[in-house]
Structure formats: structure tokens, C-alpha cells
Amino acid sequence: MLRRDPHLTKKEDDAGESAPLSTSLTTAAASNSSPLSYRRRCQFLVSDASFRHRHRFLLPFVLAATIALYFILVPADFILSNTSNNVKSNHPTILYGHVHMAKTGGTSLNGIIANKFDNVCGHKGYSYDAYNDNEKAKAANGAVVLSGGSVWSRSRVNPRIMSEIGWENCDYISNELAWSFWKQFGNGKFHGVNMELHVPCRDRIEHLMSMCNYEEEGKVGEKGLPTKHKIACDAKTDEELFNSVKKCFLYLNRYDHAMLELFDVKCFSFHNQFTNYIDHMSTILSHRRFESTPYVKRETNDVRNKEEECIWNNPEVREKVDKFLLDTIPYYQFCDSCMGSENEIAT
């Protein structure tokens, strides 16, 4: 398409439009008022359109090449890290671990926290199915008894399954394994995220007697029930007394002082765990949309009969045993130094 020459007068231009193309070009070429011949301008316009037509795919090609070069030269981990940093997350900045010491109420604590908060991963319950699990327990019209051994359920998750699931979507982990389990999270090893461990603390003698009530001697009593371990309050020697105490020990290797070198370890009271401690965690963890209430307690052993526990009527024996526990068991040593300090949670 030919454009009007701005250097031509309207009359000359009109004449060019009405004349044949060759005549118009000749007339324009003969004009001395134009600095650039009309023919050359027409050739330029034609060649400019031809250039655009021939290179219409050049811009997309350059753009694609630039993007490809970016991904080749820029490290992938840099790209992913910057992408993930722009994603909004409700996760706490650190992980929390519940060191479930046997006979400290940890089964109920794990179950309640899983029912209240999201991203709880525990041997005694996960958040994602805690609602339905508790609804089934309510339908059973009574407390649920958790069997030991290889009997697994939603309220007692197989540790192998827990490992297969992984811990990447957990904000709070509750487990009942030896302390070495936690080493995989020590000093920020787990995806660069630090972990804070929470250890429940209970009166030493009360804790010991609860462990004695759980452990069975392998004998059957008069009522056809397994007999429990008992403290030898009438022992002739301290060695005999302490040996009877050791028979009651139950997984005290879940805590070790080596944990203090890997984690920020805090303690909380056995008596306040269902009030103050849960209130403390409610300021950190995300609440679930729905909560099944009331929580049905999962029983793991028989109710204690304190009248059958001779240690309460023998102050001298109780004092010896208490000192023995504190002198020989790292878990009790930790609790003794932590409770009442700045590291006690929700005092």
C-alpha cells in the first residue's frame, strides 16, 4: 500500500492518485520539492514489510532462548528456594518434639493434641484421622484399652509406618522410642529446621510405682490376673532393695543427657500437661477445623491400688529409693534441674 507523500501538495497528490501508477511515480520523481524520491520511499516501505514478515518468529525464539539460558545457568536449588520462600506457610519456624516417657500420661496427651491441632504426628495418634478415631472410641461406650506387642491401630501407630510416612508435614512429633530416634533432627539436620524437645516430669516415687503397676512378673495372682512388680520394702540389704526397684524400670532410655547437645530441651509438669501445657501449645500450633469431644482416654494398664504399695508406709525406704533414682537415672537428673528453672514450660 502506497502512502501519501507529505512533501507533495494536495493537488499533486490527487493527480498521482488518479493517474496510473507509472505516471504517478514519474511525476513524483520529477518533483524537486521531495528530499527522497517517491520510488525509493515505496521500495523502503515494501522492504520494511518484507523484513517484518521474514522475522515474525524471531521475538518468540529470543524469548524462549533467554528462559532456557536462565534455567541452565542459575542453580536449581536457588530457584526452588526463592520460589518456596514466596509461598505463605502457617508452620512454626521450628519443630516440636514430645519425648514420651513411659507412664507420664503421654498417650492421652498425644491423643488430645492430635485431636485439637493440625500437623501432629504421634505414635498414639495423628491429626489427620484423630477426629474419626475418637468418634469410634466414643461409640464404644467406654475407655479403649490399647494392647501392646504387635497390635496396631489408629491410636497406636506402627513405628515402621510412621517412618514410611516421614516427618516433613509435622509441626509436633510425639514418639516412644529410645532417645537416639531424635538424633535425625538434631542441630537443624532436618531440612535446616531446628527442633525443641519437651520432656514430661513427674514425682520420682509416683513415677516408679506407676511403672511397677505396668510391669508384670509373669505370674498369675489369686484373682487370675497377672501380678505386678513390688518394691522389696523388707529387703535385708540395699542391693536387694535396689534390684527390686530396677525390675520396675520401663524404657528410661528414652531420655539421655546427650540430647542437650543437639536440642533446646525443655520440661513440663505431669500435673499441668492437660491444662497449662496444652494452653501453651495452642499459641503455637494451628487449630483443627473440627474437634471430637470429649476425648476418650486410651487405657494402657490397670488402675493402681496405692494401699498395696508398701513404700508409702516406709519413709526410710522411700528416701533411699528416691536418692537411688536421682543418683543413677539421667532422666530424673534432668527433671530435677529443669523443673522450676527458666526451661520449664507453662509454670
Side-chain angles (χ1 to χ4, degrees), residues 21-275:
L21 178 61
S22 59
T23 306
S24 299
L25 291 175
T26 304
T27 305
S31 174
N32 294 326
S33 61
S34 173
L36 182 65
S37 70
Y38 190 68
R39 182 184 297 277
R40 290 177 61 188
R41 287 197 300 276
C42 289
Q43 289 175 344
F44 174 78
L45 294 173
V46 171
S47 63
D48 182 54
S50 176
F51 176 83
R52 290 196 304 271
H53 177 75
R54 287 197 308 270
H55 297 85
R56 65 187 183 277
F57 299 117
L58 183 60
L59 182 59
F61 174 78
V62 172
L63 182 60
T66 302
I67 295 174
L69 189 62
Y70 172 79
F71 283 101
I72 292 173
L73 297 179
V74 179
D77 55 351
F78 175 81
I79 298 173
L80 293 176
S81 64
N82 280 275
T83 301
S84 61
N85 288 339
N86 293 327
V87 177
K88 184 178 180 180
S89 173
N90 292 324
H91 295 287
T93 56
I94 63 174
L95 279 170
Y96 294 89
H98 167 225
V99 182
H100 183 168
M101 301 299 295
K103 315 322 302 172
T104 59
T107 295
S108 294
L109 181 65
N110 181 174
I112 292 173
I113 286 184
N115 200 37
K116 282 182 172 292
F117 308 112
D118 276 326
N119 306 109
V120 174
C121 308
H123 176 52
K124 295 298 174 60
Y126 276 69
S127 294
Y128 69 88
D129 62 351
Y131 184 94
N132 284 336
D133 187 44
N134 195 63
E135 288 296 303
K136 291 178 182 177
K138 288 164 60 177
N141 296 321
V144 177
V145 178
L146 298 182
S147 302
S150 59
V151 180
W152 310 112
S153 66
R154 299 316 308 157
S155 296
R156 187 172 181 268
V157 186
N158 189 329
R160 181 180 60 82
I161 300 299
M162 296 176 70
S163 296
E164 290 180 357
I165 294 173
W167 318 103
E168 278 70 18
N169 201 43
C170 305
D171 295 336
Y172 187 96
I173 301 172
S174 176
N175 218 338
E176 305 180 42
L177 299 177
W179 78 271
S180 57
F181 160 79
W182 300 102
K183 291 171 68 175
Q184 62 184 302
F185 305 100
N187 291 330
K189 289 181 181 178
F190 190 72
H191 300 282
V193 179
N194 289 320
M195 173 177 269
E196 180 179 288
L197 292 181
H198 297 172
V199 179
C201 291
R202 186 178 183 181
D203 176 83
R204 289 186 288 273
I205 300 298
E206 285 283 359
H207 186 224
L208 173 66
M209 300 316 298
S210 184
M211 290 190 291
C212 291
N213 185 57
Y214 180 85
E215 282 294 289
E216 299 173 352
E217 287 188 327
K219 302 177 183 179
V220 178
E222 295 179 357
K223 298 181 180 180
L225 298 174
T227 58
K228 306 295 183 178
H229 281 299
K230 294 183 178 181
I231 302 300
C233 295
D234 56 353
K236 302 301 182 183
T237 65
D238 287 349
E239 182 180 6
E240 183 183 353
L241 172 63
F242 298 151
N243 282 337
S244 70
V245 169
K246 291 178 183 178
K247 290 181 180 179
C248 293
F249 286 171
L250 191 63
Y251 308 120
L252 292 173
N253 64 340
R254 294 177 184 174
Y255 171 85
D256 191 276
H257 288 322
M259 301 167 82
L260 301 174
E261 301 176 4
L262 303 173
F263 304 95
D264 184 11
V265 186
K266 297 185 180 296
C267 58
F268 61 92
S269 170
F270 165 82
H271 295 289
N272 297 334
Q273 61 184 322
F274 302 117
T275 53

